[in-house]
């Protein structure tokens, strides 16, 4: 079964609009038994999504449970409202200054609170010639800090492909994702791990990604805000 994550990013502008999207997608997936949908709305709408019965991911969290950290949301708080997943290390957060070290602390804190981290890795355009080294470092910094039997989802998201329409060649993505799985197996003994692709996924290209052996699903940003478009993505994913 493929996993599709709807990353709403900092959208939509009201709870009512968030509710409309969530209701529409949950209604849609009622008849789709072969696709797993996880919805990642902004913090303010997490409870709503949870109450509607969705599988829900936060888009970030802090690395301490409580304390004098103005403006932060802790993994303990997420756990206490019933959230099961948290996206960490998204490139839009790395761009704002998050380092591999901070992300590793966040992953550890999330796991301590029984949240499943969705760890994003991927290279910038400038890093393309060194893609494998960059991804290896991103993975190593996290996996050196956690026991390898923990459940964690990886999203390979080339930074240059996010929100640009310039998606990665699906065969290249397949190679990178197979590299990620091999690396985690050989270096850390991690054998069962889901690796998703993210970066300008839409209803036209999702089929090309999901038909690859090592692509277990997709992290969808922009297209998850367009009801009909995302419904098509879910339908296609359900057919795998
Ligand atoms: P995009 O975003 O689908 O809009 O490229 C993907 C993501 O940021 O996770």
């Amino acid at each position: 079964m493929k996993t599709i994550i709807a990353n709403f990013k900092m959208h939509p502008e009201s709870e009512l609009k968030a509710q409309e999207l969530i209701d529409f997608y949950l209604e849609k997936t009622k008849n789709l038994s072969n696709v797993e949908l996880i919805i990642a709305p902004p913090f303010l709408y997490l409870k709503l999504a949870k109450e509607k019965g969705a599988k829900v991911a936060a888009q970030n969290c802090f690395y301490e449970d409580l304390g004098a950290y103005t403006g932060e949301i802790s993994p303990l708080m997420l756990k206490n409202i019933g959230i099961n997943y948290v996206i960490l290390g998204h490139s839009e957060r790395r761009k704002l200054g998050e380092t591999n070290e901070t992300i590793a602390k966040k992953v550890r804190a999330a796991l301590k609170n029984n949240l499943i981290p969705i760890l994003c890795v991927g290279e910038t355009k400038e890093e393309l010639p060194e893609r494998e080294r960059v991804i290896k470092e991103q993975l190593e910094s996290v996996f050196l800090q956690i026991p390898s039997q923990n459940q964690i989802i990886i999203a390979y998201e080339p930074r240059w492909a996010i929100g640009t329409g310039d998606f990665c060649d699906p065969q290249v993505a397949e190679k990178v994702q197979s590299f990620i799985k091999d690396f985690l197996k050989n270096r850390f003994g991690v054998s069962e791990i889901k690796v998703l692709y993210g970066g300008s996924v839409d209803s036209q290209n999702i089929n090309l990604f999901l038909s690859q052996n090592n692509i277990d699903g997709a992290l969808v940003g922009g297209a998850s805000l367009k009801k009909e478009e995302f419904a098509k993505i879910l339908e296609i994913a359900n057919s795998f």
Side-chain angles (χ1 to χ4, degrees):
M1 187 183 300
K2 303 287 186 182
T3 298
I4 302 292
I5 302 177
N7 177 13
F8 288 178
K9 309 195 179 188
M10 201 171 72
H11 300 280
E13 67 271 37
S14 70
E15 191 173 56
L16 190 64
K17 287 195 174 165
Q19 186 170 333
E20 271 171 30
L21 286 173
I22 294 164
D23 282 345
F24 188 80
Y25 298 151
L26 290 180
E27 187 57 34
K28 185 80 208 166
T29 45
K30 262 192 198 160
N31 306 316
L32 305 175
S33 56
N34 195 39
V35 60
E36 176 187 42
L37 169 65
I38 300 173
I39 301 179
F43 287 122
L44 281 176
Y45 314 142
L46 285 174
K47 238 180 141 178
L48 166 82
K50 190 69 204 170
E51 282 161 7
K52 296 269 174 194
K55 284 192 181 179
V56 184
Q59 296 176 13
N60 183 29
C61 71
F62 196 56
Y63 50 73
E64 297 289 351
D65 283 346
L66 292 169
Y69 301 104
T70 303
E72 298 290 353
I73 303 280
S74 85
L76 176 63
M77 292 169 185
L78 295 175
K79 178 173 89 174
N80 286 342
I81 59 161
I83 301 303
N84 301 113
Y85 301 88
V86 58
I87 298 175
L88 292 170
H90 192 281
S91 70
E92 284 152 11
R93 301 216 51 90
R94 290 181 190 262
K95 212 156 55 185
L96 291 173
E98 272 191 28
T99 60
N100 281 341
E101 199 186 6
T102 315
I103 293 160
K105 282 161 94 174
K106 290 184 172 192
V107 170
R108 207 171 45 197
L111 287 169
K112 193 185 85 187
N113 284 289
N114 297 324
L115 299 174
I116 299 176
I118 299 158
L119 171 67
C120 301
V121 297
E123 76 288 352
T124 62
K125 198 143 223 163
E126 296 69 42
E127 289 166 340
L128 260 174
E130 295 180 282
R131 170 163 41 204
E132 292 198 352
R133 180 191 59 76
V134 170
I135 293 175
K136 222 163 91 175
E137 276 175 21
Q138 292 170 340
L139 292 170
E140 238 165 10
S141 60
V142 167
F143 279 82
L144 282 171
Q145 302 290 330
I146 58 169
S148 52
Q149 70 275 15
N150 273 301
Q151 205 185 344
I152 175 161
I153 296 171
I154 306 289
Y156 168 54
E157 297 208 306
R159 284 167 70 167
W160 47 270
I162 294 179
T164 58
D166 183 17
F167 61 90
C168 183
D169 178 328
Q171 280 166 7
V172 174
E174 163 68 9
K175 277 199 194 121
V176 177
Q177 305 206 180
S178 144
F179 162 77
I180 290 173
K181 287 184 181 176
D182 287 347
F183 174 71
L184 289 177
K185 190 168 180 194
N186 299 332
R187 176 82 169 81
F188 295 102
V190 175
S191 51
E192 294 289 319
I193 192 154
K194 274 196 173 182
V195 183
L196 316 180
Y197 168 80
S200 296
V201 169
D202 61 23
S203 66
Q204 300 296 308
N205 60 30
I206 182 81
N207 186 45
L208 303 173
F209 287 107
L210 297 187
S211 51
Q212 309 291 333
N213 278 341
N214 287 293
I215 301 188
D216 304 308
L219 179 44
V220 184
S224 73
L225 299 166
K226 300 176 195 150
K227 279 192 201 160
E228 299 300 336
E229 175 70 4
F230 192 65
K232 270 192 222 156
I233 290 177
L234 291 171
E235 253 170 46
I236 296 168
N238 187 60
S239 69
F240 281 87

